[in-house]
Amino acid sequence: MIISTGTASGKSLAYLTPAVTACLDGGTVLYLTPTKALAADQLRGIHDLRITQVRAACFDGDTPFEERTWVRKHANYVLTNPDMLHRSILPRHAQWSLFFRRLRLVVVDECHGYRGVFGSHVAQILRRLRRVCARYGSSPAFLLASATASEPGEFAKRLTGLDVDEVTADASPKGSTTIALWEPPLTELRGEKGAPVRRTATAEAADLLADLVLADVRTLAFVRSRRGAETVALQARAKLSDVAFSLSAHGPPPSPLGPPHPTPRPSTPPSSDPSPAGPSPAEPSSTEPSPAEPRPAEPSTAKPTPAGPSPSAPSSTEPSPAELCSAEPSTAEHSPTRADPPLLGASPMPSFREGTGNRTGREEPRDSAAGSAGGGARGPLAWAWPEDEGLADLPEKVAAYRAGYLAEDRRVLEKALRSGALMGLATTNALELGVDVSGLDAVLIAGWPGTRASLWQQAGRAGREGQDALAVLIARDDPLDTYIVHHPEALFGRPVEAIVLDPDNPYVLGPHLCAAAAEIPLTEQDLTVFGDAARGVLDDLVTEGLLRRRPAGWYWTRRERATDLADIRGGGGAPIHVVESSTGRLLGSVDEPSSHTTVHTGAVYLHQGETFLVEELDLEAGVALVTSAAPDYSTFARDITDISVLSTLRSHPLGPGTLHFGEVEVTRQVVSYLKRRAQSGESLGDEPLDLPPRTLRTRAVWWTLPAAEVATLAEEGFDLGGSAHAAEHAAIGLLPLFATCDRWDIGGVSTELHADTGLLTVFVYDGHEGGAGIAERGYARAREWLTATRQAIDSCECERGCPSCIQSPKCGNGNEPLDKQGALRLLATLLRP
Ligand SMILES: [Zn+2]
Ligand SMILES: [Zn+2]
């Protein structure tokens, strides 16, 4: 069964009840979660129940060796993650025989995190788990818990290989929230090919944050990158500092009142209206978002975030280059009276850290921490609102927050927010990891957060009991963001996205078949567990000498560990190490395929929110040397792509054309990178690169148009190549609306005449070896997807194309040629009923 409902709807209770029952009945329970941190939170929750018959324990990389034996022998509620299951528990199943024999329930929590290639790996690990259970005579029930998703039953079936019932009705109480969709204005600045540039979402978010804080509205701003979050906080503080300065210098004297309630600003009176200065929101619309505010007990919706600086951190958690465009440098010069902000900037939150050090033991900081009582021990919080100092400390009411704080620090932060000592907080979605910020009035979301599911989750943070709340989505300069602010119907009354994964990906299946054979030799019957693709992959493994075929089945006979073949969170291949040249410090690693686009020579590289400049990428040595820097531009790698069709798996007519899904071989070469000014988005030109081409076998969706239709378009004077190219860019931008993915997970190729099809063809492919289910989803929802693509282009007010519609920051051809009107005409032809 899968439960797919909003945050704080009671999912934990729904699985804890049968889980505890299973333990009381003498059974065992296996609980899986994507991160160690969530498992630790869950364990605390179970211990708080104080049921002696439940012997719960975490089993992960941090579990000391001595404890592991105890867990195997005595625990009846084991909390772990897919990595441990894959590397340790399944390969040593004999040591776990007592546990497996009595296994009644497998809880797969936060399972929406298992998407794409990582999801495909987890799907195979769960199949291996089912086979091992069968060996010990148990057949546990699988109970999955997910954030709201479209077709959760279908997703759960792909993940587990079992038929799954779905529970999607959410009857938990909720307040009402007004949602505003906000499009920043075009500026006078010019980008690539003279295209107009929009004001950045972070600049708009900073203004809104300051305005809301002045209006006494407790506000949380979600920003994609940590640097972006710090920029928003800095700019909002600078703005508040200006207000405080002009009020104290020219305006009425500061109010001596206790509760922080700033007096009216000179120009605009504070109100709950979120649109003081600045442009009016595009198509504001009010509807109820589903999720209610989260409770502390339920560790909500965290993305798999590696705890601590792990060099093997999955590259997918690195901020994508797209985020760089929202990172802006400090605007210190705007703030005449601003004291050095203690919480932000280059040495982040020093006083916060000091405070932490001053505390003794694990005691919760006292309430006075938030108030920072004058003479006593200085509390850890520098954003306390000193009642007697008037407006000068207005900026102190805004701070930035990021992941990695200790639990006790998070509690202090929660208190400051609750008490009103802190009124505005800018954060990345790190906040999802366990900070309880109930009691907020408004949420600002700078840039489309990727999915409707995460939008509702973030919007659901606003709303005190029984009070109205506000959530503002601020669009970035991107086709998907543009489409959404112009098409509220894409958000309201629509189910959230489906979570996609492809359990048949041969690059994933192969290593897990080896691991399964090493656990228990594979037999004919096992093929049904691993799906239709298994037989073909097994034959290949035998040919490659990885498995041996004997009359009884397939055997792993090699000395090395079969589990080492599957790199479940990585992209495969030897990783490139990212090293700080001045200190030799290893910052992290990037898989080889993405190194060409993320750490090429000259790239601006973000690591845990800090900015670095890549001095040199040495592919042979497997090293990228970086140096700490604060450039005022961001970089986007440009590649040239060639694609050939290996096989067509499915086809059907689409208007006068044909839609296909199949296997392709993609050759990509990163040839240059684009520099764009961070503050304005203005293009600073291209720098050439010298990198070898890379070949990728993956899956793609593509469409073709017959020659007669193409001839008509040509007669009408459209640039055919430019039309197809523009349609491809916009289609890539919009696909994440239909399949949970990032535009950087997919790529495209368009051509007036493709060698394999002999026709005008537009391809969109999965950027991962073997495919990740994204292109397949595009094939299944092609009409809706291409309709949205056309609308996105149509609703952009630019004349000849801009980053909000048909320009792509990663275009290898420098966004040339592009024909906006031609793309509209081409898509209209294709979508003809
Ligand atoms: Zn445009
Ligand atoms: Zn392009």
Side-chain angles (χ1 to χ4, degrees):
M1 173 166 297
I2 181 165
I3 305 169
S4 170
T5 53
T7 316
S9 53
K11 290 193 288 274
S12 303
L13 194 59
Y15 60 70
L16 262 175
T17 312
V20 168
T21 307
C23 292
L24 294 178
D25 288 349
T28 60
V29 173
L30 183 66
Y31 170 92
L32 290 173
T33 175
T35 66
K36 286 190 279 195
L38 282 179
D41 278 356
Q42 279 290 313
L43 182 64
R44 265 192 299 279
I46 297 166
H47 282 160
D48 287 348
L49 295 175
R50 297 176 195 283
I51 304 174
T52 48
Q53 294 96 323
V54 177
R55 296 181 299 277
C58 284
F59 191 84
D60 56 37
D62 295 343
T63 312
F65 187 75
E66 323 81 73
E67 266 175 47
R68 294 188 178 200
T69 314
W70 184 92
V71 176
R72 280 194 293 263
K73 284 198 177 139
H74 302 291
N76 56 6
Y77 196 126
V78 172
L79 302 99
T80 186
N81 51 56
D83 311 64
M84 271 319 259
L85 196 55
H86 164 67
R87 294 204 156 269
S88 175
I89 299 176
L90 291 174
R92 299 193 191 103
H93 57 85
Q95 297 176 347
W96 290 84
S97 60
L98 271 175
F99 182 83
F100 280 125
R101 208 165 278 148
R102 295 180 292 142
L103 187 58
R104 300 269 182 86
L105 184 65
V106 177
V107 177
V108 187
D109 202 6
E110 302 288 331
C111 67
H112 51 272
Y114 304 134
R115 64 179 177 92
V117 175
F118 179 47
S120 305
H121 278 288
V122 174
Q124 296 305 336
I125 293 167
L126 293 179
R127 282 159 179 74
R128 282 163 52 201
L129 170 66
R130 285 171 46 211
R131 207 171 68 102
V132 164
C133 289
R135 152 58 74 93
Y136 293 100
S138 62
S139 171
F142 280 73
L143 181 44
L144 298 90
S146 156
T148 327
S150 202
E151 301 165 38
E154 176 55 32
F155 158 66
K157 184 178 179 177
R158 283 190 161 214
L159 191 63
T160 60
L162 297 164
D163 283 324
V164 179
D165 285 330
E166 53 182 48
V167 175
T168 54
D170 183 344
S172 58
K174 316 171 167 52
S176 123
T177 303
T178 299
I179 311 282
L181 305 179
W182 188 284
E183 184 174 52
L186 292 175
T187 63
E188 293 303 310
L189 293 163
R190 287 290 170 265
E192 199 171 14
K193 311 284 167 219
V197 170
R198 277 186 201 283
R199 190 149 189 260
T200 61
T202 43
E204 296 277 302
D207 282 0
L208 286 172
L209 182 60
D211 288 334
L212 288 165
V213 166
L214 277 172
D216 212 15
V217 176
R218 282 181 206 187
T219 307
L220 180 64
F222 283 105
V223 189
R224 300 252 297 195
S225 70
R226 191 163 100 190
R227 181 145 178 252
E230 287 176 359
T231 304
V232 166
L234 265 177
Q235 291 187 348
R237 290 164 66 107
K239 206 180 159 189
L240 290 170
S241 171
D242 284 351
V243 171
F245 176 74
S246 49
L247 284 182
S248 56
H250 319 288
S255 157
L257 297 178
H261 207 115
T263 41
R265 290 184 294 153
S267 50
T268 328
S271 73
S272 57
D273 180 351
S275 55
S280 61
E283 307 198 24
S285 158
S286 72
T287 317
E288 285 189 4
S290 39
E293 46 176 75
R295 293 171 312 163
E298 185 167 324
S300 58
T301 66
K303 303 246 157 63
T305 302
S310 143
S312 63
S315 62
S316 61
T317 62
E318 294 290 340
S320 73
E323 293 165 16
L324 282 165
C325 38
S326 58
E328 291 170 51
S330 134
T331 54
E333 66 277 12
H334 291 167
S335 52
T337 60
R338 188 163 58 87
D340 193 27
L343 303 176
L344 303 159
S347 61
M349 313 199 82
S351 50
F352 197 68
R353 293 254 164 84
E354 275 163 34
T356 316
N358 289 344
R359 263 180 255 143
T360 51
R362 289 203 190 86
E363 258 187 71
E364 275 266 309
R366 310 230 171 267
D367 281 11
S368 67
S372 172
R378 186 172 159 75
L381 288 164
W383 56 69
W385 178 247
E387 296 176 4
D388 51 351
E389 284 177 41
L391 290 163
D393 285 308
L394 191 52
E396 304 297 316
K397 301 191 67 131
V398 172
Y401 173 79
R402 63 164 156 286
Y405 288 155
L406 300 172
E408 54 197 298
D409 295 335
R410 298 196 303 234
R411 300 292 97 82
V412 175
L413 183 79
E414 289 163 11
K415 275 195 181 132
L417 271 168
R418 263 199 296 277
S419 71
L422 190 60
M423 293 292 290
L425 186 65
T427 178
T428 63
N429 56 14
L431 199 64
E432 299 293 339
L433 285 169
V435 180
D436 174 25
V437 289
S438 49
L440 290 164
D441 304 308
V443 166
L444 303 173
I445 301 164
W448 175 241
T451 59
R452 283 185 288 269
S454 20
L455 179 82
W456 296 135
Q457 236 143 27
Q458 296 182 356
R461 291 286 192 168
R464 284 191 255 190
E465 280 171 41
Q467 292 204 26
D468 288 347
L470 169 73
V472 186
L473 170 66
I474 307 162
R476 285 182 304 165
D477 208 358
D478 173 279
L480 188 52
D481 289 44
T482 306
Y483 174 79
I484 285 161
V485 293
H486 284 277
H487 295 272
E489 72 276 8
L491 297 179
F492 304 109
R494 286 263 300 254
V496 295
E497 301 76 4
I499 309 161
V500 299
L501 60 99
D502 180 6
D504 292 337
N505 179 333
Y507 296 91
V508 173
L509 184 52
H512 287 285
L513 285 172
C514 290
E519 281 149 19
I520 304 161
L522 284 163
T523 62
E524 286 285 340
Q525 291 95 303
D526 290 329
L527 296 187
T528 54
V529 175
F530 291 100
D532 296 339
R535 179 171 293 278
V537 175
L538 274 175
D539 291 345
D540 290 346
L541 293 170
V542 171
T543 313
E544 290 166 35
L546 286 165
L547 290 182
R548 274 206 205 155
R549 178 84 217 243
R550 292 195 181 134
W554 289 266
Y555 287 76
W556 175 260
T557 54
R558 298 164 71 111
R559 295 177 69 91
E560 54 271 45
R561 289 191 309 181
T563 48
D564 288 345
L565 294 175
D567 174 13
I568 76 171
R569 296 202 194 227
I576 303 292
H577 297 295
V578 182
V579 176
E580 191 175 26
S581 60
S582 57
T583 60
R585 180 165 67 112
L586 178 68
L587 296 176
S589 59
V590 177
D591 58 62
E592 207 263 334
S594 32
S595 70
H596 293 217
T597 50
T598 55
V599 291
H600 58 77
T601 303
V604 174
Y605 174 71
L606 263 180
H607 174 72
Q608 295 185 347
E610 311 296 333
T611 314
F612 296 86
L613 206 55
V614 180
E615 292 171 352
E616 192 194 355
L617 169 62
D618 185 342
L619 287 172
E620 263 165 50
V623 170
L625 291 174
V626 304
T627 182
S628 182
D632 65 344
Y633 59 88
S634 47
T635 55
F636 301 87
R638 315 259 226 177
D639 58 23
I640 286 182
T641 309
D642 219 15
I643 198 164
S644 59
V645 177
L646 299 175
S647 69
T648 303
L649 300 171
R650 275 168 249 164
S651 300
H652 70 72
L654 182 66
T658 314
L659 185 76
H660 305 272
F661 169 68
E663 289 176 349
V664 293
E665 187 171 273
V666 178
T667 308
R668 258 195 306 189
Q669 184 171 19
V670 173
V671 290
S672 66
Y673 65 96
L674 168 72
K675 284 172 153 181
R676 222 194 232 179
R677 199 180 292 285
Q679 207 158 9
S680 61
E682 208 182 345
S683 166
L684 299 173
D686 267 1
E687 299 284 336
L689 286 169
D690 180 24
L691 284 163
R694 288 193 46 87
T695 306
L696 174 75
R697 280 189 175 216
T698 183
R699 296 182 164 200
V701 53
W702 66 94
W703 45 267
T704 55
L705 215 53
E709 295 287 345
V710 174
T712 314
L713 287 170
E715 280 161 25
E716 290 171 28
F718 294 114
D719 173 349
L720 293 177
S723 308
H725 190 197
E728 172 221 320
H729 281 182
I732 291 172
L734 268 290
L735 187 50
L737 197 57
F738 299 90
T740 310
C741 69
D742 196 280
R743 87 179 275 164
W744 302 88
D745 288 336
I746 42 184
V749 176
S750 54
T751 163
E752 210 175 314
L753 185 68
H754 192 268
D756 293 329
T757 63
L759 297 166
L760 181 147
T761 313
V762 174
F763 293 87
V764 174
Y765 61 87
D766 281 4
H768 300 277
E769 198 80 48
I774 305 163
E776 187 179 4
R777 182 81 186 164
Y779 177 83
R781 302 284 297 277
R783 185 163 278 278
E784 289 155 89
W785 166 37
L786 295 173
T787 302
T789 302
R790 191 181 181 284
Q791 288 168 345
I793 302 173
D794 199 25
S795 54
C796 186
E797 75 254 41
C798 75
E799 203 181 322
R800 305 171 55 81
C802 74
S804 287
C805 55
I806 55 170
Q807 286 194 345
S808 163
K810 57 176 187 171
C811 179
N813 293 320
N815 283 302
E816 190 119 281
L818 290 177
D819 184 338
K820 183 174 173 179
Q821 295 309 318
L824 286 170
R825 183 72 172 73
L826 187 64
L827 288 166
T829 306
L830 195 69
L831 292 165
R832 210 157 61 202

